[in-house]
Amino acid sequence: MTAAPTGAASAVGRQRRLARLGGVKGVIAGIALDHRDSLRVLLERRRVTLAIPELRAVKLALARTLAPLATAIMLDDELGQAALEAGAVPASVGLIMPLEAQGYETAGDGRVTTLLPDFGPSDALRYGADACKLLVPYRADDARSAAQQDELVRSTVAACHDVGLPLVVEPVVYRWSSESADGFVGVYSGLVVEAATRLRPLGVDLLKLPFPVHEGSPGEEVGALEACRALAAACRDTPWVLLGAGVDPATFVGQIRLAGSAGASGFLVGRGIWGPALASDLQEVERLAATISGPAFERCRAAAEATARPLPVAARL
């Protein structure tokens, strides 16, 4: 009879899965392709409306072209199913699957994450996932919603760890409906750092964080490295990566270098890379992904590998 794994053995298993996200160099260069509502919004802005089977086909085309360039990919069950079933993600590429339901982008003030009702860590494990992901809209200055999000993170960490999977947590700082644009810019950096400070001790295995200087900030480059260092200090010994937030690739390469210099272990980028490849014609999706998105992603990966801090040795055993 095989004994149940001890806490130490379970932790080692999670570290090994986390290590897969960083490839042989230990630096995460990831494609975030788990978008659902936001994917539909991007297509609608181009006056393209696709049914679910067509959306799945678009994700398959993007994954087939971009996944081989990455060390990790984020794919959802709902629209990423075809890509996973078709084997579009190479076995050498780490797989991260989301647990949050959609609707968070339009939920208003005091947003609280809702979990998918029919997909959890055990389902991700059956897909062969290496980690789960939880997106949490987060305002540390709102005691009620922050406390609710904290409790959700705690329980989700426990559920993931129960099946041996690490959890990636992505706090997204948002603007209050009553807040001026200038007012939000003024508090943005502090809110990003405080989100990391509060969430890190909850057992999170990897933090996926926004660049801690708002793009609307005056003199954006001034103090950007210091802001990244403050964010790294908040993360302490928990690895973190940079999220793309839809910025253009040239801007993102600069952010990757600054974050990497401060201690980030890479990046997970989404629509800023694959957004230009969206089209209703699948051949056009693959062509644009190969000629525009792929080269842009490779520039991001090169910047990360030149500057980022590899995952801790313990996570690369």
Side-chain angles (χ1 to χ4, degrees), residues 139 141 174-185 187 191:
R139 289 285 305 219
D141 54 352
Y174 61 94
R175 179 179 161 190
W176 291 117
S177 59
S178 59
E179 195 170 30
S180 69
D182 288 344
F184 181 56
V185 167
V187 299
L191 289 173

Side-chain angles (χ1 to χ4, degrees), residues 170-172 208-211 241-246 252 255 266-269:
E170 178 182 355
V172 176
K208 180 187 176 193
L209 299 170
F211 192 67
V241 294
L242 194 64
L243 61 84
F252 192 53
Q255 293 179 350
F267 65 89
L268 281 159
V269 65

Side-chain angles (χ1 to χ4, degrees), residues 18 27 54 133 170 254 261 268 286:
L18 188 65
V27 173
E54 294 167 319
K133 185 267 291 187
E170 178 182 355
S261 297
L268 281 159
E286 292 198 12

Side-chain angles (χ1 to χ4, degrees), residues 13-28:
R14 292 198 307 275
Q15 288 172 349
R16 291 180 67 87
R17 285 190 165 102
L18 188 65
R20 279 181 45 79
L21 306 182
V24 296
K25 295 185 178 180
V27 173
I28 297 173

Side-chain angles (χ1 to χ4, degrees), residues 30 35 65 80 104 131 153 168 170 187 216-217 223 228 242 250 252 262 267 287-288:
H35 301 62
T65 305
Y104 53 83
V153 169
V168 181
E170 178 182 355
V187 299
S217 300
C228 288
L242 194 64
F252 192 53
F267 65 89
R287 184 186 73 81
L288 293 171

